[in-house]
Amino acid sequence: MSSTGSSDLVIVANRLPVDRVELNDGTPGWRRSPGGLVTAIEPVMRANEGTWIGWPGGTEQDLKPFEDDGMDLVPMTMTDREIENHYEGFSNGTLWPLYHDLVAKPEFHREWWDAYVAVNRRFAEKAAEHASEDATVWVHDYQMQLVPQMLRELRPDLRIGFYLHIPFPPAELFQQLPWRRQILEGLLGADLVGFQLPGAAANFVRLVRQRVGHKTHRDLIYLPDGRTVRAGAFPISIDAAGFEELSRSEPVGKRAAEIREALGSPRKVFLGIDRLDYTKGIYARLRAFSELIADGHFDVEDAVFVQVAVPSREQVEQYRILRDEIDRLVGRINGDLGRIGRPAISYLHSSYPREEMAALYRMADIMVVTPYRDGMNLVAKEYVACRFEDDGALVLSEFAGAADELRQAWLINPYDINGMKAALLEAYQADDRELGRRMRAMRKTISQHDVAAWADSFMAELAAVRPTHGKAVRPARRS
Ligand code: F6P
């Protein structure tokens, strides 16, 4: 950020990369926010000395822009009512379930929509204030879909990109939304609208043609004002080299061994790491694992399951219900199948720093990722990046975006418990040759397409769609 407070690259996301929290000693401090979005954008930000506009969680007002770990952060405040209606309501009670195949039932409330519009407008105004002349503004995710159009009206000079981190639904589902046209028009304020998968981009273009009536040709949309908007697929990735380096490090190796020992040194460890979200299929996966023990395929001396559930959206009713259900299930499984000092499932309701995650990935033999629907799922990619000895198995839902690239995983349908059990058992029994063959192929994919490549391809495409304006954005790749 320059001394005038304006920047050539501005990121707009609902969340800042850090959350305002109360530290153990009672004083206010900052902690890393959960979720894949933050993990993905941080390297791009660092390479460009950009400015990040977002909400730091909570209701604290009057937080000033500040620098954190080399990033310029602009905190946006939200009132209790806005959190209830914009964040918990329209974003996570309407859009989240609607965009995830109706895994839960979306609710449609007009006051939620009004708050969504108001909050999007405030974020757009803040971006307009911080972007320098001809700057690039990159808007992220479903909470901010109206920002591109609002920002375009305020600052026609800007180059605007939008990226959706979650799935974009098929037309039949999207059409339920009472404000479908406004959302489409909101997104069309961008020069480039990016999605995880080609199918999502195609859904969007078709909806624009049918619902807004603009002319389209393949991935291009022609607006009456002469602008052309492109919709494309940019599958997101991770800092693969960074994760591998961390996983190879001595402290992480030591910690991995410690965790295994604390688990009682079983022959095999299964691992799940997710935000505690109903889209992730945690319940079904724990049931499948427990049934394998109950059916006598192995016992708790042979294998245990470590499930990390990162607390998420705890004020939203469906998330509270899920937490209770998982608590009950884990209690029941451990009560029925565990032995003294050897629970079948080690359940951790907490978030962990990157180092601890890397240690978990390094110590686990079988990574289990079973969402009913997921935009990408970066945990699957992180696991692969950490397996530098070309071992370990990945069991992956075919409904996660990552399944498009990680074809050598054991792909499962999370609705099919018997199919999931068969895959878990196969992965458990696989020999080193089979594991090596699969893991080597997946590691090649991940190393060739990391988060820097993702960001660079989005930025290059954005510059190509709007070639005559805008300053160049530096590649995210580290030299
Ligand atoms: O990647 C999807 C996403 O909803 C992000 O937009 C978000 O930052 C992350 O998951 C975590 O969710 P939340 O911000 O609601 O805690």
Side-chain angles (χ1 to χ4, degrees):
M1 189 157 51
S2 75
S3 52
T4 57
S6 69
S7 180
D8 290 345
L9 174 69
V10 176
I11 301 285
V12 181
N14 188 58
R15 261 192 201 280
L16 279 182
V18 287
D19 257 353
R20 190 75 165 155
V21 290
E22 193 174 294
L23 300 173
N24 289 340
D25 62 4
T27 58
W30 297 97
R31 189 185 57 206
R32 199 163 197 282
S33 314
L37 183 152
V38 166
T39 322
I41 307 168
E42 261 194 76
V44 191
M45 273 288 289
R46 289 185 199 291
N48 283 282
E49 291 155 21
T51 295
W52 187 319
I53 293 170
W55 171 56
T59 51
E60 202 173 330
Q61 306 288 315
D62 298 328
L63 287 167
K64 300 276 170 285
F66 64 103
E67 210 194 290
D68 177 77
D69 209 6
M71 294 185 287
D72 287 311
L73 306 182
V74 179
M76 298 293 290
T77 51
M78 283 210 218
T79 62
D80 276 326
R81 242 188 122 61
E82 284 171 339
I83 295 174
E84 219 176 282
N85 291 335
H86 161 77
Y87 172 67
E88 293 159 4
F90 198 75
S91 297
N92 291 310
T94 306
L95 294 173
W96 181 267
L98 183 70
Y99 282 27
H100 284 88
D101 272 5
L102 310 188
V103 174
K105 193 168 163 26
E107 289 182 36
F108 303 112
H109 298 293
R110 285 167 286 181
E111 65 276 21
W112 287 5
W113 167 253
D114 293 342
Y116 186 77
V117 176
V119 169
N120 271 248
R121 190 170 307 286
R122 262 217 330 276
F123 275 65
E125 283 164 2
K126 190 56 85 177
E129 194 184 300
H130 280 271
S132 59
E133 177 87 24
D134 287 340
T136 296
V137 179
W138 195 2
V139 184
H140 289 266
D141 230 356
Y142 61 103
Q143 306 93 338
M144 296 284 131
Q145 290 172 103
L146 305 178
V147 169
Q149 184 191 32
M150 291 169 168
L151 184 57
R152 171 80 53 207
E153 278 162 14
L154 293 168
R155 291 285 306 273
D157 61 301
L158 299 176
R159 179 184 270 165
I160 303 173
F162 179 90
Y163 187 76
L164 187 70
H165 291 252
I166 70 171
F168 188 77
E172 301 73 49
L173 300 187
F174 186 81
Q175 269 156 195
Q176 292 184 7
L177 194 62
W179 306 278
R180 58 200 180 188
R181 190 181 170 116
Q182 288 96 315
I183 296 276
L184 295 171
E185 285 175 342
L187 293 169
L188 289 172
D191 298 296
L192 175 63
V193 185
F195 300 89
Q196 300 277 13
L197 302 179
N203 288 348
F204 173 69
V205 174
R206 196 170 332 115
L207 272 161
V208 166
R209 194 169 54 241
Q210 289 167 354
R211 289 280 150 204
V212 194
H214 293 328
K215 276 214 182 71
T216 67
H217 177 65
R218 292 172 191 244
D219 56 355
L220 295 177
I221 300 156
Y222 303 102
L223 271 60
D225 67 4
R227 273 194 321 118
T228 303
V229 178
R230 198 191 147 214
F234 301 85
I236 202 166
S237 195
I238 56 159
D239 173 13
F243 263 100
E244 173 164 346
E245 196 182 317
L246 196 58
S247 174
R248 280 180 186 275
S249 72
E250 209 193 307
V252 165
K254 218 169 128 230
R255 178 69 190 137
E258 253 170 46
I259 298 173
R260 248 190 124 101
E261 211 185 313
L263 292 168
S265 307
R267 279 191 340 100
K268 299 259 162 154
V269 180
F270 290 74
L271 174 67
I273 301 183
D274 313 79
R275 270 188 315 98
L276 187 48
D277 194 296
Y278 52 79
T279 60
K280 304 286 184 185
I282 301 171
Y283 192 96
R285 109 173 42 134
L286 295 181
R287 255 189 70 195
F289 173 77
S290 71
E291 284 186 19
L292 287 172
I293 300 181
D295 296 349
H297 291 290
F298 45 72
D299 71 12
V300 288
E301 306 298 325
D302 297 319
V304 296
F305 202 116
V306 175
Q307 175 65 53
V308 174
V310 178
S312 185
R313 305 175 192 163
E314 292 182 297
Q315 302 312 314
V316 179
E317 201 197 346
Q318 279 148 335
Y319 288 75
R320 289 188 183 181
I321 295 172
L322 175 74
R323 180 167 182 197
D324 288 346
E325 283 173 355
I326 304 276
D327 282 354
R328 269 201 302 276
L329 180 69
V330 170
R332 201 165 69 228
I333 294 173
N334 284 340
D336 288 348
L337 304 171
R339 305 219 182 111
I340 287 181
R342 188 65 75 97
I345 296 171
S346 289
Y347 177 60
L348 306 155
H349 182 246
S350 184
S351 69
Y352 292 99
R354 241 164 85 98
E355 291 73 18
E356 185 74 357
M357 300 274 279
L360 286 164
Y361 292 137
R362 183 160 165 186
M363 72 86 206
D365 303 286
I366 302 140
M367 184 79 214
V368 192
V369 181
T370 57
Y372 294 116
R373 179 61 69 193
D374 210 333
M376 175 54 63
N377 197 294
L378 297 182
V379 161
K381 292 189 169 180
E382 288 171 3
Y383 179 70
V384 170
C386 286
R387 305 306 301 190
F388 59 88
E389 289 180 299
D390 292 335
D391 57 0
L394 175 65
V395 176
L396 177 62
S397 164
E398 55 191 70
F399 303 131
D404 267 29
E405 292 164 85
L406 302 176
R407 305 302 301 168
Q408 296 79 12
W410 272 270
L411 294 176
I412 55 108
N413 169 1
Y415 294 96
D416 169 12
I417 300 255
N418 282 347
M420 184 147 57
K421 282 169 70 178
L424 291 176
L425 193 57
E426 254 190 51
Y428 171 80
Q429 290 169 338
D431 60 28
D432 290 350
R433 239 182 105 210
E434 175 71 4
L435 293 173
R437 183 184 67 76
R438 290 177 184 246
M439 190 52 78
R440 262 191 302 280
M442 292 193 287
R443 287 178 54 74
K444 194 166 166 211
T445 306
I446 301 279
S447 66
Q448 285 170 349
H449 184 78
D450 65 0
V451 72
W454 166 76
D456 293 348
S457 67
F458 186 92
M459 284 301 173
E461 198 53 55
L462 181 55
V465 182
R466 197 178 167 85
T468 50
H469 301 270
K471 297 167 187 163
V473 170
R474 266 193 296 281
R477 192 167 291 286
R478 292 175 302 181
S479 53

